[in-house]
Amino acid sequence: MAAAPVWSVDPRTGKQREQVAVEATAQEVDAAVRAAHEARDALTDRTVRAAFLRSAADELKAARDRLVEAADAETALGPVRLNGELARTCYQLRAFAGIVEEGAFLDVVIDHPDDTATPPVPDLRRYKIPLGVVAVYSASNFPFAFSVAGGDTASALAAGCPVVVKAHPDHPGLSELVAKVLRRAAARHGVPEGVLGLVHGFEAGLELIRHPLVAAAGFTGSVRGGRALFDAAAARPVPIPFHGELGSLNPVVVTEAAAAERGEAIGAGLAGSMTLGVGQFCVKPGLVLAPAGEAGDALVKSLTAAVSDTDAGVLLDHRMRDNFVAGVAERGELPDVESPVTPGAGGEHTVSAGFLTVPAGRLAEEGEHDLLLEECFGPVTVVARYQDDAEVRAVLSRLPGNLTATVQLSDAEAAGEGRGAELVQELTPLAGRVLVNGWPTGVAVAPAQHHGGPYPATTSTSTSVGGTAIERWLRPVVYQGTPEALLPAELKDGNPLGLPRRFNGGLEL
């Protein structure tokens, strides 16, 4: 049977543009994984890894015009957004190069023998080593930052792990272009091209997660798809770590005092956040707990005006558009649900932004309104109007894990008065990032960043953004009683590599 062709599709028209590849066979997936496995020794030298990552950023920047044009043709995200995302991707690659050079991620700990301890301590030397080949499953909504050259790939390469990427079907042509750019960067430093493999096709994705030489996987996408891969990773004869980002509602709590103090501003800010990128951000606020009464009315009025002024937009593909139109229609038919601005089809290929309102009491107990507690991908949010703090607590107690949770406080509450601190603590168990008087869209690439959260936000406790994302692809190993001549350079007493480490209980920078 001939391999199925992979087409580039224009989401603005739904028409195929060009054939860019074919779906990978099981044999081709095997070849890509084996080539990556054979390239792992080329990443042993941290100097080479850092140089490779910087060259990758340079090459992507040099190819910017062509890459942005290809990305826009396949995603309709627009040149402004895509240029910004590509700049972020380049910055991320350079940031990981710096982390590799610094070496703190190796977590070097050396303890000399101590016969006076109980029990006695032998000579112990611990650091972290790369896991091996990492399978990366690209996201649809970030064709640069969470795709072939995105955070999973960058952090895995930084850890010393070769990568095989399963391209997302929404931007296959761009995926091919970016893979070529990264391989060109690898060649500049004598790293085999196999260090970055690329495969297309649903079956190829399953073959990839099952391959015995794949040591870990990173995924960004839907709960259904991510859970299927997570289960496959766990069902292998040798299970592997699966770091998946699956879905998030990103709740927002607006206190009555905050709504009274600046309800109009909160409504306008919410509109901007929920419609950013046509609502296709993983941290879009999908549920907002706002007070009933006049204070909440001002927020809803402002939100109505701002969302009404938002132009219809194109989603990443027509399947997502169909799911959005059907999903908001089903939600809108539930009892006591109203649509101040009705979301749905904006045209044959577009969608219109909108939002729904519902009494918070409807969400406090299990029932048909549970649908409103599920993520709906696109420009829509649900505003649940609460009567008192008890209803807020009841709804929060029913929420699954999230990437973010936000609280909008008054000035006095932010200064420590009222329930401000209590609300922050109530939100903390729900999410990996808790915001006060901000909006969750926009995930800074910074050392302190955490982009993850309790299931189903993610399947692990790790982050996919920020410097600590590298930790996903490493495992610790300790050498006991090993002669100096047999130790890796990272663990020698003289510290020939100049690494930060903990030496006999003391921190050495």
Side-chain angles (χ1 to χ4, degrees), residues 7 14 38 48 64 80 88-89 146 177 192 210 212-213 222 268-269 273 315 376 380 416 431 447:
W7 293 87
E38 292 170 3
V48 171
R64 180 186 59 188
V80 174
R88 166 200 168 131
T89 303
F146 284 83
L177 290 175
R210 295 168 180 157
L213 291 180
S222 68
S273 185
L315 295 184
C376 186
V380 66

Side-chain angles (χ1 to χ4, degrees), residues 153-323:
T153 297
S155 58
L157 292 173
C161 296
V163 172
V164 178
V165 178
K166 157 57 174 69
H168 198 281
D170 280 350
H171 46 262
L174 175 68
S175 298
E176 288 287 337
L177 290 175
V178 172
K180 290 177 181 177
V181 169
L182 294 189
R183 290 168 183 153
R184 188 161 62 242
R188 287 174 55 179
H189 303 282
V191 177
E193 290 186 353
V195 74
L196 191 285
L198 181 70
V199 296
H200 299 265
F202 177 80
E203 292 298 329
L206 294 176
E207 291 288 342
L208 185 58
I209 199 69
R210 295 168 180 157
H211 197 287
L213 291 180
V214 167
F219 170 89
T220 303
S222 68
V223 173
R224 180 181 178 184
R227 185 55 194 255
L229 290 171
F230 176 74
D231 291 344
R236 290 168 37 129
V238 178
I240 60 172
F242 182 87
H243 302 283
E245 179 189 323
L246 310 188
S248 185
L249 197 60
N250 306 301
V252 178
V253 177
V254 182
T255 68
E256 186 170 2
E261 187 173 274
R262 50 190 178 85
E264 290 186 7
I266 293 173
L270 172 59
S273 185
M274 59 157 283
T275 62
L276 185 65
V278 202
Q280 298 175 112
F281 279 53
C282 51
V283 289
K284 179 200 74 176
L287 174 68
V288 182
L289 284 159
E294 293 184 5
D297 290 345
L299 185 157
V300 171
K301 182 179 179 181
S302 174
L303 178 63
T304 299
V307 173
S308 297
D309 287 340
T310 302
D311 294 334
V314 177
L315 295 184
L316 291 160
D317 62 39
H318 277 59
R319 175 185 57 83
M320 291 180 186
R321 178 187 177 278
D322 292 343
N323 288 341

Side-chain angles (χ1 to χ4, degrees), residues 19-252:
Q19 181 180 336
V20 297
V22 294
E23 293 189 358
T25 63
Q27 292 76 17
E28 288 167 334
V29 172
D30 178 66
V33 174
R34 292 188 181 280
H37 182 71
E38 292 170 3
R40 67 193 188 283
D41 288 345
L43 296 177
T44 302
D45 190 323
R46 289 188 298 117
T47 302
V48 171
R49 296 210 302 267
F52 170 27
L53 292 168
R54 287 199 174 93
S55 291
D58 293 342
E59 294 280 358
L60 287 169
K61 182 178 179 181
R64 180 186 59 188
D65 291 345
R66 184 183 181 194
L67 294 176
V68 168
E69 180 182 6
D72 186 44
E74 291 185 321
T75 68
L77 288 174
V80 174
R81 151 73 191 276
L82 291 167
N83 270 290
E85 187 185 331
L86 181 56
R88 166 200 168 131
T89 303
C90 293
Y91 173 81
Q92 187 165 245
L93 287 162
R94 294 190 179 100
F96 276 114
I99 289 169
V100 171
E101 288 177 331
E102 180 190 68
F105 73 97
L106 295 169
D107 286 342
V108 176
V109 183
I110 296 175
D111 287 324
H112 283 167
D114 183 358
D115 293 336
T116 66
T118 304
V121 175
D123 188 272
L124 297 172
R125 297 161 189 260
R126 179 187 188 272
Y127 80 141
K128 291 181 177 178
I129 61 174
L131 290 174
V133 178
V134 172
V136 170
Y137 293 80
S138 294
S140 61
N141 55 340
F142 282 87
F144 291 120
F146 284 83
S147 189
V148 176
D152 286 349
T153 297
S155 58
L157 292 173
C161 296
V163 172
V164 178
V165 178
K166 157 57 174 69
H168 198 281
D170 280 350
H171 46 262
L174 175 68
S175 298
E176 288 287 337
L177 290 175
V178 172
K180 290 177 181 177
V181 169
L182 294 189
R183 290 168 183 153
R184 188 161 62 242
R188 287 174 55 179
H189 303 282
V191 177
E193 290 186 353
V195 74
L196 191 285
L198 181 70
V199 296
H200 299 265
F202 177 80
E203 292 298 329
L206 294 176
E207 291 288 342
L208 185 58
I209 199 69
R210 295 168 180 157
H211 197 287
L213 291 180
V214 167
F219 170 89
T220 303
S222 68
V223 173
R224 180 181 178 184
R227 185 55 194 255
L229 290 171
F230 176 74
D231 291 344
R236 290 168 37 129
V238 178
I240 60 172
F242 182 87
H243 302 283
E245 179 189 323
L246 310 188
S248 185
L249 197 60
N250 306 301
V252 178

